[in-house]
Amino acid sequence: MEFFLQGLTMGLAYVAPIGLQNLFVINTALTREKGRVFLTALIVIFFDVTLALACFYGIGAVMERSPLLERLVLLAGSLIVMYIGVGLMRAKDSLKKTDVDMPLWRVASTACVVTWFNPQALIDGTMMLGAFKASLSPAGANSFVFGVAAASALWFFGLSAALSLFSARFTDRTLRVINLVCGAVVFFYGAKLLRNFIGHVFAL
């Protein structure tokens, strides 16, 4: 139980700060009907947990052994993140007329992109989760990573529920401001990743 609670605490600290996944869930919760909102949260949780498992069990080691792969992930991730940011800033979603027929493959692909194509998430997850794995016994490691997975489910379902309950308080203007702010944050985040890629190239 001790290792599970430790993983739960660290998992919440990892997913709670505003990031691409949170922005995606927030935008979905404010523009889609409740059934689709919680399905989206489940999809995001799936990709978040699989990424956490990959980081915990050594994806960072693979990237460290292949500088070329690391740079390719950084370049592709930065461009995709910037594209998502522009899309958010240009979005014309309305709270009164929502697109509830958004195909599931699009939901899943977007959730996958904001999770697995986020180089910073790969790096941060590897450094944090990988460091914990090195200090735990096999039994403790399993309990710890289960706690991390539980934290992901608790956070994203909780965030979706809270925003769905209070979505009536938001107006189209509020949503537009949220889209602009979130889009700008995502775009500049992607630009920062692109700058890091350029720095890697010129450092060769």
Side-chain angles (χ1 to χ4, degrees):
M1 181 59 71
E2 175 187 353
F3 295 117
F4 171 80
L5 291 176
Q6 189 177 21
L8 182 69
T9 303
M10 289 303 302
L12 287 172
Y14 178 62
V15 300
I18 293 298
L20 298 182
Q21 293 163 300
N22 285 327
L23 295 177
F24 178 61
V25 171
I26 289 170
N27 188 267
T28 301
L30 293 178
T31 59
R32 312 297 174 196
E33 50 99 16
K34 287 182 175 59
R36 180 53 60 90
V37 169
F38 288 106
L39 180 57
T40 298
L42 183 62
I43 292 172
V44 171
I45 290 167
F46 169 78
F47 286 114
D48 186 63
V49 170
T50 54
L51 176 63
L53 290 172
C55 291
F56 192 71
Y57 290 109
I59 193 173
V62 176
M63 293 181 66
E64 285 177 1
R65 291 192 181 96
S66 177
L68 177 60
L69 176 62
E70 182 179 4
R71 294 187 183 95
L72 287 175
V73 170
L74 192 58
L75 175 61
S78 63
L79 295 177
I80 292 171
V81 168
M82 290 171 69
Y83 176 79
I84 292 173
V86 172
L88 273 175
M89 288 188 285
R90 295 179 61 186
K92 304 293 184 182
D93 287 326
S94 170
L95 293 172
K96 298 176 183 177
K97 184 179 180 181
T98 59
D99 177 17
V100 298
D101 295 323
M102 181 181 183
L104 280 179
W105 68 263
R106 186 177 172 187
V107 174
S109 62
T110 304
C112 178
V113 165
V114 300
T115 304
W116 276 89
F117 285 76
N118 182 352
Q120 197 62 50
L122 289 171
I123 295 169
D124 291 346
T126 297
M127 291 180 64
M128 184 182 75
L129 298 176
F132 269 95
K133 184 177 183 297
S135 66
L136 297 171
S137 64
N142 291 333
S143 296
F144 177 86
V145 78
F146 184 69
V148 172
S152 177
L154 180 64
W155 175 259
F156 287 116
F157 275 135
L159 181 64
S160 298
L163 289 170
S164 294
L165 288 173
F166 295 104
S167 61
R169 296 175 179 266
F170 292 89
T171 64
D172 288 350
R173 181 180 176 85
T174 305
L175 178 61
R176 179 60 181 154
V177 171
I178 290 174
N179 278 340
L180 286 172
V181 172
C182 291
V185 170
V186 171
F187 180 84
F188 285 113
Y189 184 69
K192 181 181 178 181
L193 292 174
L194 181 60
R195 186 183 67 179
N196 290 341
F197 166 76
I198 295 173
H200 276 291
V201 171
F202 283 100
L204 292 177

